[in-house]
Amino acid sequence: ILSLASVNQVLLLLLVLTVCAILYNKVHQAPLALRNETVDLESTEEMEEEIPVVICAAAGRMGAAVAAISSIYSNTEANVLFYIIGLKTTIPHIRKWIENSKLKEIKFKIVEFNPMVLKGKIRQDASRPELLQPLNFVRFFLPLLIQKHEKVIYLDDDVIVQGDIQELYNTKLAPGHAAAFSDDCDLPSAHEMVRSIGMQNTYMGFLDYRKQAIRDLGISPSTCSFNPGVIVANMTEWKHQRITKQLEKWMQRNVEENLYSSTLGGGVATPPMLIVFHGKYSSINPMWHIRHLGWSPDARYSEQFLQEAKLLHWNGRYKPWDYPSVHNDLWENWFIPDPSGKFKLTRPDS
C-alpha cells in the first residue's frame, strides 16, 4: 500500500507533466510569425515564384553556358530554375560539369532537343556554318520544351548577367504580346560603334528587300530591328498566337525562296523572329541587353558603362572564350573550369 507521501509525489509529478504538455502545445500552435525564424523563412521560399531561365549547352561552347549560369546564380537571391537544353551527345558532358563544380547547388533540368524538328526548314549557308547549329533554333520551340511556366526567360549562351535576374523577369509584357526584346535603336552609347564596324540595327540588314515576299510584308527597311538573344516570353500568348508555327512557315519559305540567308546580318534565327514579331512585342530595359561585344576585336565600351550594365552579350564572331576578343576579363570572372578538361580557354599564351 502506497503511503500518503508517495501518493502526493505521484500527483505532483502528474501535475508537472500536465503543465509541461499545455505549454508545449501553446508554443507549437502559435502563429507562424511567432515561431522559430527558420521555419518562417523556409515556408516563404516554398511560396516564392520560380524563375525559369532557358540556356543552351552546345558542343564546343559549353563553357559559355556555364559562365552565363554562374553569373545569374551569383547575382540573385531569386528562386531560379535553369532549363539547360542540349543534344543527346552533349548532355552527359554538361551534367558532369555542373555536378562536379560549385554549380552543383543550382536547381536545373536538362532537356534534350531533337534536331529532327528542323528537317527541311534550314537552308545551308556556307559563309557561317556555325549559325546553322540546331540549338540556335531552340528559342522557336519554347512551349514544346518548357511545359509548366507562364513566363520564361531565354538567354543566348554568350551572355553574362551582372544584375538580379528577378528584375529582368519582372519586365511587363503588354496585353496580346508573346515576347519582349531590346530594340537595336535604343542601345545606349553604341551608335558610334555601330557606324564604325558596320553592325546591323535595321530590317534592311537582315531581310533581302529584292525579294517580293519581303516587300509584300510592308515593313520599311529602315525599321529598327531587335536582338532575340534575350527574350522574356509569355507562353500562353505564344501558344495562342501559334508563334512556333509562324516561325516554321518563314523558315520553310526561306528554304524555297532564299529570303534572308545570304544577307549581311548573318544568321538565320533572327530574320523569322523579326518578321513574326514585327510591331507585336514589348520592350526590355536597354541596360538589360548591352550587345555587340563580339562584333569586332577592337570595338570597346567604356569600363564605367559596362559596370553599370545589367547584361552583356558577345554576339558576333569574337567570343570571350576565344582569341582575339574584347572585355573578356568581365566574362572570365564567372567562368568555371571544366572538371573533365575538355573545354579550354583560348588565350594568347595558350
Side-chain angles (χ1 to χ4, degrees), residues 77 111 152 254 316:
E77 295 294 322
V111 181
V152 171
N254 182 58

Side-chain angles (χ1 to χ4, degrees), residues 214-326:
I214 297 300
R215 293 200 300 273
D216 287 347
L217 290 169
I219 302 172
S220 165
S222 62
T223 301
C224 284
S225 55
F226 57 82
N227 184 304
V230 176
I231 308 172
V232 181
N234 179 314
M235 293 291 92
T236 302
E237 277 297 335
W238 192 293
K239 288 182 271 196
H240 176 68
Q241 297 179 33
R242 298 167 63 84
I243 297 290
T244 297
K245 289 288 181 197
Q246 292 186 59
L247 292 166
E248 288 181 312
K249 182 192 87 171
W250 283 102
M251 289 171 79
Q252 284 167 328
R253 286 198 69 175
N254 182 58
V255 169
E256 296 156 12
E257 303 172 50
N258 194 19
L259 302 176
Y260 50 76
S261 289
S262 60
T263 48
L264 185 58
V268 289
T270 298
M273 298 199 86
L274 291 178
I275 294 170
V276 170
F277 283 102
H278 174 252
K280 292 186 291 188
Y281 64 91
S282 298
S283 292
I284 289 172
N285 178 337
M287 294 304 282
W288 266 100
H289 196 176
I290 302 304
R291 47 210 178 274
H292 304 316
L293 275 73
W295 268 85
S296 161
D298 305 313
R300 285 190 166 268
Y301 288 100
S302 77
E303 291 301 324
Q304 184 185 350
F305 176 68
L306 291 180
Q307 283 167 12
E308 292 169 4
K310 306 283 190 177
L311 182 148
L312 305 174
H313 188 185
W314 279 262
N315 57 313
R317 295 172 188 260
Y318 301 96
K319 303 299 185 189
W321 55 90
D322 278 336
Y323 180 82
S325 58
V326 292

Side-chain angles (χ1 to χ4, degrees), residues 87-117:
L87 301 180
K88 191 173 186 176
T89 52
T90 61
I91 283 173
H93 186 187
I94 192 70
R95 186 184 294 281
K96 185 177 177 185
W97 199 330
I98 290 169
E99 292 176 351
N100 291 281
S101 72
K102 64 182 181 183
L103 289 182
K104 62 178 177 285
E105 304 297 328
I106 69 170
K107 286 172 62 179
F108 71 100
K109 290 184 180 177
I110 291 183
V111 181
E112 181 184 339
F113 182 68
N114 185 351
M116 288 306 292
V117 299

